[in-house]
């Protein structure tokens, strides 16, 4: 919470945000005021805040009315002879009116606010660097195993040096540069890595990002920053709260786990040390906020799901256009209740979404026979396609699942140009060989070698689907091997070039329970199919000692248990308690850790140099973002409005005084740059009119200025309403 005010919750946050906005507005209007005084233009009114109902505090001094309005979200500097509406401009022969001043003087007055925003931002940046801005080092922490960073060969501990040639000094800068590439954009990332011998080496990895699930679906590579060993929060659960009260809290520092020391910025080690111990405790050595060091046993939170005997439907949330699922005519909202692989005697139902993903993966990349033509001699070999191991010097997009690159040569087949070491055809195929046939069939015309290999190596899965179709438009005749399915679809998984694993092109979630295995835990303890079918398992939670399991089901109206949520607290079976890891359970410490941060205060001269570099970068950032918006690399909902600014300032205040100054400088510079945009209602628009007056030798016609003002005003209002609407949308969705 705020370093400047007592913690009053949302009241404090609002006060801090309003104060920050008021300072920025005052600085901008002060720029116009000082420029007017310097050029001899009379200032009629100088207000911070809006004068609502005449309740502002006012004072006239030397012909200028100064005031503080009761609505502190704006301000203005009214100059003699100026009016934003060209029809209402009043001009006399008075020498102190704005319109009677020379062009250079009017340009200085209109640009004064922008100049002051730039100067203020630069000075505040110097102060922030001297105080010591907390920044997140550009070092990769935990990687999403299926994310681009892991797939393209990044490792935990890699330090990012630059992104597409742009030098980065913090994780925020690296993430920002990656985001601006647009969802799915390719980037060259320069990293520094510690090798096995302890030496540091530098390398460049070209990576294709993917859309994140946060605001604007911005580009991401699936890497988090390093975590510190400082506690940011404790799981909000009475089971753990009572056991940890007085022992572990926000701001405490975990020094060791079971005697193993945790380095300052290696909080990930804590997760590694406790991962395989569900139902147990861990000995923590903690330095509290009071500086005292204490050691105690902390409970571990168990997570995961063992086979309860429930068989569920997989509900498709979204179907990717053009993917195998879409081609098989699977639709959003369908319930996949069972599957059948070639060779299976009968269909099988799903125990979890994890099993669904496993089935999809197992249906792709089976062994195939390959006919190689080597200067007239035909060699027949067997190989299993695979997702290629990543090499920093290898073009991952050229991978064909056989680890070869080359070109399609029509009826001759695929001409191999190179073979990736360690790939399926390494040691067998050579550059100059032709791949003629796969599984005895010539390569299909019009397809890439990758598509041909996928066709040859994938098997068709039968999915048994329940579709509620009141209009009776089911296109494929139903098969009755599964009683509650009215549709059977066949599809072959494809290896996603983005996620590098077999997929069918759907987003899915666990759907309703369709049946219960006879004699299972769910049958004997929870009531079996008659009571559970049609419900959804909403919560699965374990007590710290694994003695009990809490299950919460959402029942439909009319079920034997009645509609709504019902909670069961049951004894965990002995075989699960005896070997929880074998049952698929894992553990973690019930805390959240702060992101690793570094604070390096600077002396005056280095602070000025650092502030200058950052000032230039911030000034250009607005134009980089605008360019990305125009070329549609970034969607409009990536831009934040007033609610997003509120959130940013609030987060900055939480991270300390220096970071608050940094964000204040960032917004000040952005405000200055945005005011230079050539919208007629902004300072930049006024400067454009002055430029036209200089070029034409006279002011533009009144009709032109009036039309431009209205167009600019409508565009600006539309933009403000749009970004505010997106703000509200992301607020309700929780996407940042």
């Amino acid at each position: 919470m705020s370093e400047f005010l007592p913690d009053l919750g949302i009241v404090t946050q609002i006060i801090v945000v309003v104060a920050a906005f008021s300072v920025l507005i005052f600085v901008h209007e002060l720029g116009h005021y000082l420029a007017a005084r310097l050029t001899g233009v009379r200032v009629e009114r100088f207000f911070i805040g809006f004068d609502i109902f005449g309740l502002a505090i006012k004072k006239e001094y030397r012909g200028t009315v100064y005031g503080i309005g009761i609505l502190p979200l704006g301000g203005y500097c009214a100059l003699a002879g100026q009016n934003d509406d060209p029809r209402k401009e009043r001009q006399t022969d008075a020498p102190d009116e704005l319109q009677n001043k020379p062009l250079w003087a009017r340009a200085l007055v209109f640009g004064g606010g922008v100049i002051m925003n730039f100067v203020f931002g630069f000075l505040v940046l110097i102060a922030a660097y001297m105080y010591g801005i907390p920044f997140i080092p550009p070092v990769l922490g935990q990687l999403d195993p299926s994310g681009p960073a892991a797939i393209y060969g990044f490792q935990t501990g890699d330090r990012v040096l630059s992104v597409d040639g742009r030098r980065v000094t913090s994780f925020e800068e690296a993430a920002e540069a990656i985001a601006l590439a647009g969802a799915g954009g390719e980037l060259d990332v320069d990293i520094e890595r510690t090798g096995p011998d302890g030496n540091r080496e530098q390398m460049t990895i070209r990576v294709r990002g993917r859309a994140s699930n946060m605001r604007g679906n911005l580009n991401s590579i699936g890497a988090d920053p390093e975590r510190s060993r400082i506690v940011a929060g404790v799981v909000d659960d009475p089971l753990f709260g009572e056991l940890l009260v007085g022992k572990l809290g926000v701001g405490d520092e975990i020094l060791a786990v079971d005697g193993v020391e945790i380095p300052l910025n290696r909080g990930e080690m804590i997760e590694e040390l406790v991962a395989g111990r569900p139902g147990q405790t861990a000995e923590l050595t903690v330095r509290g906020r009071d500086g005292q060091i204490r050691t105690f046993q902390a409970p571990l939170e168990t997570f995961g799901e063992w086979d309860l005997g429930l068989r569920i439907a997989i509900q498709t949330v979204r179907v990717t256009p053009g993917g195998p699922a879409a081609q098989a005519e699977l639709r959003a909202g369908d319930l996949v209740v069972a599957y059948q692989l070639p060779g299976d005697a009968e269909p099988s139902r799903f125990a979890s979404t994890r099993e669904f993903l496993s089935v999809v993966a197992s249906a792709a990349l089976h062994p195939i026979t390959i006919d190689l033509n080597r200067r007239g001699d035909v060699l027949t070999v067997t190989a299993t396609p695979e997702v290629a191991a990543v090499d920093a010097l290898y073009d991952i997009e050229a991978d064909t699942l056989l680890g070869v690159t080359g070109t399609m040569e029509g009826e001759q087949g695929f001409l191999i140009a190179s073979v990736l070491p360690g790939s399926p055809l390494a040691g067998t195929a050579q550059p100059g060989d032709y791949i003629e046939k796969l599984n005895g069939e010539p390569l299909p015309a019009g397809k890439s070698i990758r598509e041909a290999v996928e066709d040859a190596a994938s098997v068709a899965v039968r999915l048994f689907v329940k579709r509620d179709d009141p209009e009776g438009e089911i296109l494929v005749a139903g098969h009755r091997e599964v009683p509650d399915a009215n549709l059977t679809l066949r599809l072959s998984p494809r290896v996603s070039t983005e996620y590098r694993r077999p997929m069918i092109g759907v987003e899915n979630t666990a759907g309703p329970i369709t049946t219960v295995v006879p004699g299972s835990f769910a049958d004997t303890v929870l009531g079996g199919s008659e009571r559970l079918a049609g419900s959804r398992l909403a919560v699965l939670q374990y007590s710290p000692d694994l003695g009990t399991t809490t299950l919460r089901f959402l029942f439909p109206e009319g079920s034997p248990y009645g509609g709504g949520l019902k909670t069961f607290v049951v004894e965990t079976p002995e075989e699960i308690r005896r070997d929880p890891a074998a049952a698929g359970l894992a553990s973690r410490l019930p805390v959240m850790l702060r992101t690793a941060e570094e604070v390096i205060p600077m002396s005056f001269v280095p602070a000025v140099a650092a502030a200058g570099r950052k000032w230039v970068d911030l000034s250009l950032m607005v134009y980089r973002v605008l360019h990305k918006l125009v070329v549609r690399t970034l969607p409009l909902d990536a831009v934040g409005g007033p609610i997003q600014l509120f959130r940013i300032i609030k987060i900055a205040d939480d991270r300390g005084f220096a970071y608050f100054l940094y964000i204040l400088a960032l917004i000040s510079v952005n405000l200055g740059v945005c005011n230079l945009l050539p919208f007629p209602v902004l300072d930049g628009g006024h400067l454009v009119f002055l430029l036209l007056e200089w070029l034409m030798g006279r002011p533009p016609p009144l009709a032109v200025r009036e039309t431009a003002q209205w167009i600019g005003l409508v565009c600006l209002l539309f933009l403000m309403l749009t970004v505010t609407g997106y703000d509200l949308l992301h607020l309700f969705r929780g996407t940042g």
Side-chain angles (χ1 to χ4, degrees):
M1 186 40 65
S2 174
E3 293 189 356
F4 326 117
L5 296 169
D7 187 355
L8 300 175
I10 188 67
V11 175
T12 302
Q13 296 173 18
I14 292 174
I15 291 174
V16 170
V17 172
V18 169
F21 273 118
S22 298
V23 168
L24 293 173
I25 292 167
F26 171 75
V27 166
H28 184 83
E29 297 302 326
L30 182 62
H32 291 306
Y33 174 85
L34 293 176
R37 290 296 191 194
L38 182 65
T39 56
V41 176
R42 176 163 43 90
V43 179
E44 295 179 341
R45 296 167 70 85
F46 182 62
F47 267 62
I48 299 300
F50 291 117
D51 183 7
I52 305 296
F53 307 122
L55 298 178
I57 302 172
K58 309 173 194 175
K59 177 70 175 179
E60 183 175 354
Y61 179 72
R62 293 187 176 180
T64 300
V65 178
Y66 299 90
I68 300 176
I70 62 171
L71 185 61
L73 295 177
Y76 58 93
C77 179
L79 306 176
Q82 180 203 10
N83 195 297
D84 287 332
D85 186 346
R87 295 172 301 175
K88 297 181 180 179
E89 279 186 353
R90 58 193 191 280
Q91 184 174 6
T92 68
D93 293 332
D96 58 0
E97 287 188 356
L98 179 64
Q99 301 304 322
N100 294 327
K101 295 296 180 180
L103 274 172
W104 69 266
R106 282 181 279 159
L108 182 61
V109 170
F110 284 124
V114 171
I115 294 171
M116 186 60 77
N117 280 132
F118 287 156
V119 171
F120 177 78
F122 180 64
L123 295 177
V124 171
L125 278 174
I126 295 174
Y129 278 111
M130 293 182 69
Y131 193 93
I133 300 173
F135 68 95
I136 302 172
V139 179
L140 304 187
Q142 188 173 5
L143 307 181
D144 178 355
S146 64
I151 289 168
Y152 283 78
F154 291 87
Q155 298 176 9
T156 295
D158 287 348
R159 176 176 286 270
V160 179
L161 304 177
S162 66
V163 178
D164 267 352
R166 178 186 168 194
R167 178 174 172 267
V168 297
T169 58
S170 69
F171 194 90
E172 293 101 328
E173 289 181 352
E176 178 186 272
I178 291 170
L180 289 179
E186 287 189 318
L187 308 126
D188 286 322
V189 181
D190 296 325
I191 62 170
E192 186 178 65
R193 176 181 297 170
T194 301
D197 55 0
N199 293 326
R200 305 290 291 178
E201 55 180 342
Q202 294 185 9
M203 65 181 68
T204 300
I205 299 179
R206 187 161 185 81
V207 56
R208 179 188 294 276
R210 71 180 185 200
S212 70
N213 59 357
M214 296 304 289
R215 186 184 190 104
N217 295 323
L218 296 175
N219 199 45
S220 167
I221 62 171
D224 291 328
E226 287 186 311
R227 294 286 169 182
S228 72
R229 59 188 183 187
I230 300 174
V231 176
V234 179
V235 170
D236 185 17
D237 189 321
L239 290 174
F240 297 96
E242 295 177 3
L243 296 173
L244 291 174
V245 65
K247 295 181 179 179
L248 193 65
V250 175
D252 291 348
E253 195 172 2
I254 301 175
L255 304 178
V257 176
D258 292 330
V260 179
E261 184 177 346
I262 308 299
L264 185 61
N265 287 339
R266 284 288 285 118
E268 293 85 1
M269 278 185 59
I270 298 173
E271 183 176 337
E272 297 166 5
L273 291 170
V274 305
R277 298 160 53 184
Q280 302 179 32
T281 62
E283 183 183 81
L284 301 186
T285 302
V286 173
R287 177 163 49 221
R289 286 162 294 178
D290 56 3
Q292 298 296 314
I293 296 178
R294 53 186 179 274
T295 300
F296 58 91
Q297 293 292 323
L300 299 179
E301 182 183 16
T302 300
F303 64 97
E305 182 178 345
W306 46 281
D307 191 354
L308 300 164
L310 300 171
R311 295 299 177 260
I312 66 173
I314 305 298
Q315 185 166 35
T316 58
V317 178
R318 188 177 71 88
V319 179
T320 304
Q327 293 174 15
E329 298 182 349
L330 193 68
R331 301 178 186 173
D334 286 350
L335 294 174
V336 182
V337 298
Y339 67 93
Q340 189 172 13
L341 292 169
D344 291 350
E346 58 184 24
S348 301
R349 295 178 181 268
F350 297 102
S352 65
T353 52
R354 184 186 307 168
E355 182 181 349
F356 174 68
L357 297 175
S358 176
V359 167
V360 168
S362 67
L365 304 187
H366 291 262
I368 56 176
T369 60
I370 303 168
D371 289 348
L372 296 174
N373 187 315
R374 182 174 299 162
R375 294 179 294 278
D377 296 329
V378 177
L379 295 76
T380 301
V381 299
T382 299
T384 301
E386 62 184 27
V387 176
V390 176
D391 186 291
L393 301 178
Y394 181 71
D395 180 7
I396 195 168
E397 295 306 317
D399 175 35
T400 62
L401 304 178
L402 294 177
V404 297
T405 64
T407 55
M408 296 293 285
E409 300 287 337
E411 294 182 357
Q412 289 182 282
F414 179 82
L415 175 61
I416 297 175
S418 64
V419 183
L420 182 67
S423 66
L425 288 185
T428 302
Q430 300 175 4
D433 290 351
Y434 283 91
I435 297 177
E436 286 188 325
K437 297 180 180 180
L438 301 174
N439 288 340
E441 298 292 333
L443 301 188
K447 289 191 175 183
S448 68
I449 185 66
R450 180 191 186 92
E451 292 171 321
V453 169
E454 284 186 327
D455 287 339
S458 295
V459 299
V461 186
R462 297 174 72 194
L463 296 182
F464 299 87
V465 176
K466 175 71 171 75
R467 178 179 298 168
D468 293 328
D469 196 352
E471 298 181 3
E473 293 183 355
I474 294 176
L475 301 178
V476 183
H479 293 260
R480 297 303 172 191
E481 292 93 337
V482 179
D484 51 348
N486 57 14
L487 184 64
T488 299
L489 305 176
R490 292 175 181 268
L491 50 80
S492 296
R494 289 288 179 265
V495 177
S496 165
T497 55
E498 179 180 356
Y499 294 97
R500 307 289 289 170
R501 66 170 184 262
M503 304 179 76
I504 61 172
V506 296
E507 290 180 10
N508 61 78
T509 184
I513 295 167
T514 57
T515 187
V516 173
V517 176
S520 67
F521 178 85
D523 186 31
T524 58
V525 177
L526 301 177
S529 281
E530 287 188 9
R531 292 180 174 271
L532 296 178
S535 65
R536 293 174 183 258
L537 180 59
V539 174
L540 176 62
Q541 187 180 33
Y542 307 96
S543 62
D545 62 358
L546 209 55
T548 61
T549 300
T550 299
L551 303 109
R552 187 167 294 124
F553 292 90
L554 178 63
F555 289 94
E557 293 295 331
S559 71
Y561 281 119
L565 284 171
K566 182 173 177 58
T567 301
F568 299 83
V569 180
V570 296
E571 183 177 340
T572 306
E574 173 61 30
E575 61 271 19
I576 303 300
R577 296 201 305 269
R578 186 169 52 249
D579 195 354
L585 303 184
S587 55
R588 58 194 169 211
L589 198 63
V591 301
M592 294 160 284
L593 300 174
R594 285 183 185 172
T595 301
E597 289 186 342
E598 294 180 3
V599 179
I600 306 176
M602 298 180 179
S603 58
F604 179 71
V605 174
V608 170
R613 288 192 298 269
K614 178 57 68 175
W615 182 87
V616 172
D617 186 58
L618 293 177
S619 300
L620 296 177
M621 177 56 63
V622 175
Y623 294 108
R624 284 197 289 262
V625 171
L626 287 173
H627 173 258
K628 298 291 184 180
L629 289 172
V630 170
V631 299
R632 305 300 295 276
T633 302
L634 291 181
L636 186 58
D637 69 332
V639 180
I643 296 175
Q644 181 71 353
L645 281 177
F646 180 101
R647 178 175 172 269
I648 290 173
I649 294 176
K650 190 267 177 189
I651 293 173
D653 181 46
D654 286 346
R655 288 184 63 180
F657 179 64
Y659 197 78
F660 179 81
L661 289 179
Y662 169 75
I663 292 298
L664 201 64
L666 180 151
I667 297 175
S668 182
V669 173
N670 281 352
L671 183 63
V673 174
C674 289
N675 262 286
L676 279 178
L677 296 176
F679 281 94
V681 291
L682 299 178
D683 295 334
H686 291 297
L687 293 174
V688 169
F689 282 139
L690 291 180
L691 176 62
L692 291 175
E693 182 178 341
W694 178 66
L695 293 173
M696 298 167 56
R698 56 184 174 80
L702 177 61
V704 172
R705 287 185 289 158
E706 182 180 352
T707 302
Q709 290 282 71
W710 277 108
I711 292 175
L713 181 61
V714 169
C715 290
L716 202 58
L717 286 175
F718 173 78
L719 182 62
M720 289 296 296
L721 290 173
T722 301
V723 297
T724 302
Y726 280 127
D727 271 358
L728 292 171
L729 183 64
H730 288 296
L731 180 66
F732 290 125
R733 286 181 176 175
T735 50

